[in-house]
Amino acid sequence: MKLIRKTKEQFAFSLGQREKQLWFQVLQMYPLVPPSHHQLSKKGKRSSQHEDQRLLEDAVAEQRRANRQQVLAMLAEPGRFRETKNDIRFSLTPAEIEWLLQVLNDVRVGGWLGLGEPEELETPEINSTNAPYLLAMEVSGFFQSVLLTALGHHEPTPFDES
Amino acid sequence: MAATAIPEIMPDVGQEEKTGSKSELDSAWLVVCWNDPVNLMVYVTHVFQTVFGWSRQKAEFHMKQVHNQGKSVLARTTMEKAEHYVHQLQKYTLHATMEREE
């Protein structure tokens, strides 16, 4: 997947066939992180903590329902993905990129949780049970990188350290 | 990832609250972002810029603090604003919490 054109309102991307399959596969996994993963506080000393936590989980669940509907609508939208002779083209608005980044990071973090939260550079032993989580984590990370690069970001290099 | 103490000097944290009354300042809340090794560094920078409206330089400073020290205090503010920021950060699946300043 690569950015082929960008204006203020639209980002046009080119996808290969296999990339399109992976795009659908990963987005259909959403949501992958359980709402209870999010905690309002590490300490939790307030008497209203449990109620606040419940409200947070309700808010997260509601937002995910809305995101899930939006994802499914995007994937089913007629004409959204246009096949050409050599590739598949589709466009996203800046707002769509923003919520897709949220969606993709949910899948990425959910995949990481499913793998047992390995540390950086630690490769877990892969088996038939956790392989889908590895796919979710790696592929969503790839698509996140493409979207972030399209927005003008780049991964810091050692030369960026100050 | 080793945990570290909250830095004593955070020159760019909570400037907006400095004009508050003493009681407001006494009940300040800290918005803390914790390190999850799965998050892309460039993604964390983007989220900080989006949620707080920061420059890339400031967002990268806090991203590196999260990455290198395990956490970063992103804001010192009222309970209501801290809840808002935490919710915004969690929408992006960042590990963020609010802690009462001690």
Side-chain angles (χ1 to χ4, degrees):
Chain A
M1 176 169 154
K2 63 182 179 187
L3 178 71
I4 52 174
R5 193 175 56 256
K6 121 179 183 183
T7 66
K8 214 172 174 181
E9 297 85 22
Q10 289 281 334
F11 292 73
F13 295 93
S14 164
L15 278 173
Q17 280 290 353
R18 180 64 183 136
E19 285 177 324
K20 184 189 169 193
Q21 288 172 3
L22 289 169
W23 178 258
F24 274 65
Q25 195 174 340
V26 162
L27 291 181
Q28 283 167 345
M29 287 177 164
Y30 177 85
L32 212 50
V33 173
S36 58
H37 173 71
H38 294 293
Q39 299 293 316
L40 202 53
S41 172
K42 289 263 188 193
K43 293 176 182 165
K45 297 270 168 56
R46 283 187 297 153
S47 58
S48 59
Q49 182 69 26
H50 292 301
E51 178 64 7
D52 289 346
Q53 181 63 31
R54 191 187 61 76
L55 289 171
L56 171 69
E57 290 181 22
D58 286 350
V60 169
E62 178 55 37
Q63 182 226 335
R64 286 177 183 190
R65 269 193 294 276
N67 273 348
R68 168 100 182 142
Q69 285 179 348
Q70 202 172 350
V71 166
L72 295 177
M74 187 193 78
L75 296 180
E77 188 183 326
R80 166 72 77 165
F81 298 91
R82 301 181 313 281
E83 295 213 18
T84 72
K85 190 177 169 187
N86 301 314
D87 62 2
I88 295 151
R89 304 283 174 93
F90 78 109
S91 296
L92 296 170
T93 65
E96 287 173 330
I97 289 182
E98 208 55 52
W99 68 258
L100 277 169
L101 284 170
Q102 294 177 13
V103 165
L104 288 167
N105 208 53
D106 179 284
V107 176
R108 182 165 168 82
V109 173
W112 175 70
L113 293 173
L115 286 170
E117 305 179 34
E119 282 298 320
E120 212 169 0
L121 305 177
E122 184 185 321
T123 309
E125 194 172 318
I126 303 303
N127 53 48
S128 57
T129 306
N130 67 15
Y133 291 118
L134 182 67
L135 176 112
M137 190 176 84
E138 294 297 339
V139 175
S140 56
F142 165 73
F143 287 129
Q144 277 184 303
S145 293
V146 174
L147 296 180
L148 288 163
T149 301
L151 291 176
H153 292 283
H154 68 280
E155 269 303 332
T157 69
F159 301 107
D160 292 331
E161 297 285 345
S162 55
Chain B
M1 195 65 62
T4 55
I6 294 170
E8 288 182 8
I9 300 170
M10 293 296 298
D12 50 359
V13 169
Q15 297 300 318
E16 67 195 85
E17 300 305 317
K18 279 195 169 175
T19 55
S21 67
K22 186 167 190 306
S23 60
E24 285 172 329
L25 294 174
D26 284 346
S27 60
W29 289 78
L30 304 176
V31 177
V32 184
C33 187
W34 305 82
N35 187 49
D36 270 343
V38 68
N39 290 315
L40 302 174
M41 289 193 283
V42 67
Y43 175 74
V44 176
T45 301
H46 171 77
V47 175
F48 289 171
Q49 284 185 267
T50 304
V51 170
F52 294 100
W54 289 345
S55 67
R56 181 168 301 189
Q57 187 182 20
K58 183 171 177 179
E60 282 184 349
F61 169 82
H62 285 280
M63 176 277 290
K64 285 176 183 170
Q65 203 166 46
V66 172
H67 183 71
N68 296 325
Q69 300 179 22
K71 68 182 179 185
S72 179
V73 177
L74 305 180
R76 176 178 178 275
T77 186
T78 61
M79 188 175 78
E80 289 75 18
K81 283 185 180 173
E83 281 177 348
H84 168 75
Y85 286 136
V86 168
H87 184 58
Q88 290 302 307
L89 294 164
Q90 292 185 346
K91 274 170 72 175
Y92 286 88
T93 331
L94 292 193
H95 188 175
T97 61
M98 53 189 280
E99 311 297 336
R100 192 164 209 153
E101 187 174 43
E102 291 171 359

